[in-house]
Amino acid sequence: MREFTAERGWERFHDPKSLIVALVGEVGELCELFQWLPSGEAAALAGEEPLRTRAGEEMADVLLYLVRLADVLGVDLAAAAERKMRLNAEKHRA
């Protein structure tokens, strides 16, 4: 993502606030795909085309903005996720 951004000269647009707003927008687009689906049928419908492809595209957008945000903020996203999972495991012991 860093290289892709640099090749296009987009660094000036990738401040944390702008990336968060873009991330929220992409989550909104993902949400829109599922907004009016019946809860009990959403998983099955998401496995069928064209929803499967569209959902994958929107999830990819979310992931890419999140990765870029982590890069800009200097956050090791994998380490942060592992730490969060450990904290959740301690908080919600079975």
Side-chain angles (χ1 to χ4, degrees):
M1 280 301 297
R2 185 185 303 144
E3 183 178 320
F4 184 87
T5 298
E7 287 172 353
R8 287 152 183 81
W10 292 349
E11 295 95 338
R12 67 186 184 277
F13 304 116
H14 285 195
D15 61 275
K17 178 187 169 222
S18 296
L19 288 168
I20 291 167
V21 170
L23 177 61
V24 168
E26 294 301 336
V27 170
E29 290 180 19
L30 177 61
C31 182
E32 183 180 23
L33 296 175
F34 290 85
Q35 184 174 3
W36 302 115
L37 298 181
S39 296
E41 300 173 38
L45 292 171
E48 300 173 7
E49 295 301 336
L51 184 54
R52 179 184 169 138
T53 296
R54 290 287 298 122
E57 291 169 351
E58 297 305 337
M59 287 187 286
D61 287 340
V62 169
L63 176 63
L64 292 170
Y65 275 118
L66 186 60
V67 166
R68 181 65 181 139
L69 178 61
D71 183 46
V72 167
L73 295 178
V75 171
D76 180 335
L77 200 51
E82 288 176 9
R83 180 177 183 277
K84 185 64 176 182
M85 290 299 297
R86 283 193 306 276
L87 291 171
N88 285 342
E90 291 172 14
K91 182 178 178 181
H92 303 286
R93 291 180 195 253

